[in-house]
Amino acid sequence: MTKTIVLVGMMGSGKSSIGKELARKTGLDFIDTDSEIEKISKKKIKEIFSTKGEVFFRKLEEKICKKFINGEKKIVSIGGGAFMNKHIRNVIAKCGKSFWIEVNKDTLIKRLSNSNNIRPILDYRNLNKSISEIMNTRKGIYTKADVKIKVLNKNKSEIVNKIIKFI
């Protein structure tokens, strides 16, 4: 493996927890771009969205992704919408290997409705409709990932082991 491993997929798909476990098992560093954005801006993502707007956030997200997806051996989890940005996808194609963590809608609804982490682009009054719309918008782009990992009933260790086989 000579490239940055990049985990992509919907919010709530488990990219961060899978990334941490993958890093633990491989000894590689783990970067969560959403956490890096919060560290650099000293604001929660929902605050950035409400005070500066989504366009500002997406520009910052692109800058952070380009910084960490640089071909070095490490694991990077990117935000759910980051892979929609063709500039980020181009950087990943050049410097990384992308893994789409695909989770079904029912699992996402369950995880996101029980999460303390408020996602600014979700309509929590109608989570089912909101998640469906976002999934429909993003699915065609997520299919461009190098490898698709369908979560279904697999536990975290099974998913991590599957990714390790690819790298």
Side-chain angles (χ1 to χ4, degrees):
M1 181 196 77
T2 57
K3 293 184 170 190
T4 307
I5 300 304
V6 184
L7 304 178
V8 306
M10 284 289 291
M11 61 194 106
S13 62
K15 299 179 303 281
S16 296
S17 61
I18 289 165
K20 287 173 189 168
E21 180 69 12
L22 191 54
R24 192 185 64 73
K25 281 193 168 182
T26 60
L28 297 173
D29 288 339
F30 171 69
I31 305 291
D32 181 307
T33 59
D34 283 351
S35 296
E36 292 298 319
I37 289 167
E38 289 182 344
K39 250 190 259 178
I40 286 167
S41 67
K42 295 180 178 59
K43 288 185 170 128
K44 292 281 181 197
I45 288 171
K46 67 177 184 184
E47 272 182 85
I48 298 169
F49 266 75
S50 64
T51 59
K52 303 270 191 177
E54 185 173 1
V55 172
F56 176 87
F57 171 79
R58 296 296 176 197
K59 285 180 182 165
L60 184 56
E61 180 177 59
E62 182 178 327
K63 185 176 159 190
I64 297 298
C65 285
K66 286 178 174 178
K67 176 181 177 182
F68 290 107
I69 303 167
N70 56 11
E72 291 176 5
K73 292 182 185 182
K74 67 172 144 316
I75 294 130
V76 178
S77 167
I78 64 175
F83 203 62
M84 303 307 287
N85 179 321
K86 76 173 191 221
H87 300 294
I88 294 172
R89 285 197 312 277
N90 290 340
V91 168
I92 294 169
K94 196 170 75 181
C95 302
K97 187 166 182 82
S98 55
F99 290 81
W100 173 24
I101 311 300
E102 186 186 20
V103 178
N104 69 40
K105 184 175 69 170
D106 292 338
T107 302
L108 289 176
I109 290 169
K110 195 168 116 185
R111 288 180 183 176
L112 293 168
S113 62
N114 294 324
S115 173
N116 293 330
N117 185 5
I118 301 299
R119 317 294 172 128
I121 64 169
L122 285 180
D123 178 358
Y124 284 88
R125 295 164 301 185
N126 192 343
L127 209 49
N128 185 8
K129 181 177 182 250
S130 186
I131 289 171
S132 291
E133 288 172 354
I134 295 166
M135 285 179 86
N136 289 338
T137 303
R138 294 180 179 177
K139 192 171 189 166
I141 300 293
Y142 287 156
T143 61
K144 296 177 184 224
D146 297 313
V147 180
K148 175 174 145 180
I149 307 285
K150 204 165 183 68
V151 172
L152 292 172
N153 296 321
K154 295 180 186 85
N155 66 34
K156 191 172 24 178
S157 289
E158 289 175 301
I159 296 163
V160 167
N161 290 336
K162 198 170 184 180
I163 294 171
I164 288 171
K165 284 180 187 166
F166 280 100
I167 59 175

